[in-house]
Amino acid sequence: MSIKDEQEIKERLNVLGTVEVSPPPYLTAVRRGKSVRLRRRAFAAAGVAAVVLLGVLVPRLVPHVGQPGPVTPRYDVTVHQPGPGSPSGQVAWGTINGKRWQLRVVAQQGISNGCTFFGQDVQCVPGEASASPDQVSFIYAMSGGTQFQLAAVGADVTKVAVTLGNGTELTLRPTVVDGKRWMGFAAPTRLAVSRAVSFAGTRELGYAIPYNGASGAQFIAWLRPGQQAAARASYRIGSGTLAGKHWSASAYVGPWGVCVEGVGAASWCAGSAADIQPNGAPTSYFTCSPGTQAVSFAAAAESSVATVRFRLSDGTSLSVRAVSIAGGDKAYAFAVANGVRLRSWTAFDAAGKQVGTGSGWKCG
C-alpha cells in the first residue's frame, strides 16, 4: 500500500488514513502516559490478506529471513484471561519474567486507532478493527522492547494457540469488550513468534507463521489447515550511499507473504508475493519514506522491465535495476537527496528497448 492509495482505502474501508495515525486526542491529555500508534498486521484465517504499511519502527534489516537475531536471554512469558473484578476493558494480562502487563480496550469514541502506555498497562482504541466469523485480525503496538499484540476475532473462533520461539505456548481466548470479541498477548520484541493457530472448539480454522522483524511479529497472511506455506527467500532490491550514509533495502518472502524493509524508516508488507505488481503501469511505487536527508522509494515493475531510469530535478539521472521476486513481478528501491524531485521515469527491457515512460513520483 502506498501513500498515494490512502484516499481510495479511506473510501473503501471507512477507516481514517493508513494504520499510521495520530493518537486519540483524549489520550494525549494524559501527561504520564506515552501515546503510540497501532499497526494493523493481519486479516483472515481463511487465507484472505490485505496489503499493509509496516510503519516507521523498522529502521534496520533483520539478519535472517523473517527472523530476529539469536535470542540469548531467557524469557518466561504468560498470558491470562480477565477474571472477576478485572479492570474495565481488560482483554488479557500476564507476565514477562515476572513483570506484570495488561492489555485493555477502551471505548472507541469515533477514533480510528491508537494506544497509550502507562508502564506495562496498555490502553488501546482499535477503531474499526473487526473480524468475520472465522477470522483473526491482529494489530500491534511496541514500547520498551515489548510487543503488545491485540486481535479482533470472529464469532466462530474459540481460541488461538500462539507458539513463541522458545517453545512457550500461549492459549488466547476471546473476551467481549465494547460489543466485540478480543484477545491478546505480550512478548519481548527479541523473542520470535513461531506460529498462531485458530480453533472453533477442537476444529482448526487456520494458521499463521508471522514475519518477525526488528519491531516484533507481524501476522500478515493466514493459511487454511494443511495448506503449504510459501518457501522462504530474500532479495536485495537496492543499496547505496547517500550523504555519507549507507542504506540497503530487501524483500523477504515466506509463509507470511512478503515484507520489504530498509526503505528509509518505512517498510511494507503484503499477504502474497503476487502483490508485488505495478499499479496500471510498467512500474509504480508502493511505499516511500521522507527522511531528514533523503527520500526513499520502493517500487514494483512488470517482469519485462530490466531497469528504470529517473530524470531528476538537479539535471542528473538515476538508473535502478529491477529484481525478480519469486511469485510476483519485480521490485527495486532507491533514494534521492532531500530537495531533489523525480521529473520522469523511463522503463527499459533487458535489450535496452523502452517499454514505458511516465511522470515522476512525489512521496506523499
Side-chain angles (χ1 to χ4, degrees):
M1 181 174 69
S2 70
I3 293 177
K4 65 181 179 180
D5 293 328
E6 286 185 4
Q7 186 59 43
E8 179 183 353
I9 297 300
K10 290 179 187 177
E11 296 171 355
R12 293 175 61 187
L13 297 184
N14 193 29
V15 177
L16 296 177
T18 67
V19 295
E20 277 291 312
V21 297
S22 298
Y26 83 97
L27 292 179
T28 61
V30 184
R31 300 303 181 192
R32 62 191 179 91
K34 180 176 66 176
S35 296
V36 299
R37 300 158 173 88
L38 286 173
R39 277 79 182 166
R40 186 179 303 277
R41 281 295 171 261
F43 300 76
V48 180
V51 175
V52 293
L53 181 66
L54 193 61
V56 297
L57 294 179
V58 191
R60 64 184 186 279
L61 295 179
V62 291
H64 300 291
V65 178
Q67 300 297 333
V71 176
T72 53
R74 178 179 177 180
Y75 294 118
D76 182 12
V77 181
T78 68
V79 65
H80 306 282
Q81 272 192 291
S86 296
S88 174
Q90 188 183 75
V91 171
W93 68 275
T95 60
I96 298 175
N97 288 348
K99 186 176 181 180
R100 184 183 171 109
W101 59 266
Q102 72 170 337
L103 184 58
R104 291 190 281 170
V105 169
V106 297
Q108 302 198 11
Q109 303 181 21
I111 303 300
S112 178
N113 58 47
C115 280
T116 290
F117 290 83
F118 302 84
Q120 294 289 87
D121 176 7
V122 185
Q123 298 180 12
C124 294
V125 182
E128 299 298 322
S130 62
S132 60
D134 62 348
Q135 293 183 341
V136 179
S137 179
F138 273 100
I139 51 182
Y140 90 105
M142 185 187 75
S143 177
T146 300
Q147 56 180 308
F148 296 86
Q149 301 278 354
L150 174 67
V153 296
D156 293 346
V157 180
T158 58
K159 76 171 183 178
V160 173
V162 175
T163 303
L164 304 181
N166 62 359
T168 299
E169 184 169 300
L170 305 176
T171 299
L172 315 183
R173 298 190 184 277
T175 297
V176 178
V177 178
D178 197 25
K180 295 182 180 180
R181 304 171 81 240
W182 306 95
M183 57 178 57
F185 71 96
T189 304
R190 292 185 60 195
L191 179 60
V193 179
S194 299
R195 69 171 51 217
V197 184
S198 62
F199 294 88
T202 59
R203 178 171 63 91
E204 181 180 336
L205 296 173
Y207 75 99
I209 299 175
Y211 175 80
N212 287 283
S215 57
Q218 289 87 52
F219 293 90
I220 305 157
W222 286 74
L223 306 175
R224 297 183 300 275
Q227 181 179 351
Q228 186 174 359
R232 300 179 186 229
S234 63
Y235 306 86
R236 179 70 58 83
I237 62 171
S239 64
T241 301
L242 190 61
K245 186 176 181 180
H246 179 74
W247 63 270
S248 178
S250 294
Y252 300 98
V253 177
W256 51 84
V258 59
C259 284
V260 173
E261 290 194 353
V263 186
S267 297
W268 176 91
C269 282
S272 168
D275 291 307
I276 293 184
Q277 55 182 331
N279 184 21
T283 184
S284 62
Y285 81 93
F286 51 78
T287 193
C288 65
S289 174
T292 57
Q293 294 183 315
V295 180
S296 301
F297 290 87
E302 293 178 346
S303 298
S304 61
V305 175
T307 60
V308 181
R309 186 174 65 215
F310 293 90
R311 186 170 63 87
L312 307 180
S313 61
D314 62 0
T316 64
S317 64
L318 174 68
S319 293
V320 188
R321 182 176 66 91
V323 178
S324 295
I325 306 295
D329 280 336
K330 292 182 176 181
Y332 60 93
F334 63 95
V336 294
N338 275 345
V340 176
R341 298 183 302 279
L342 307 179
R343 294 291 194 190
S344 64
W345 59 264
T346 305
F348 301 90
D349 64 15
K353 179 182 177 181
Q354 180 177 316
V355 293
T357 186
S359 57
W361 307 325
K362 180 180 179 181
C363 185

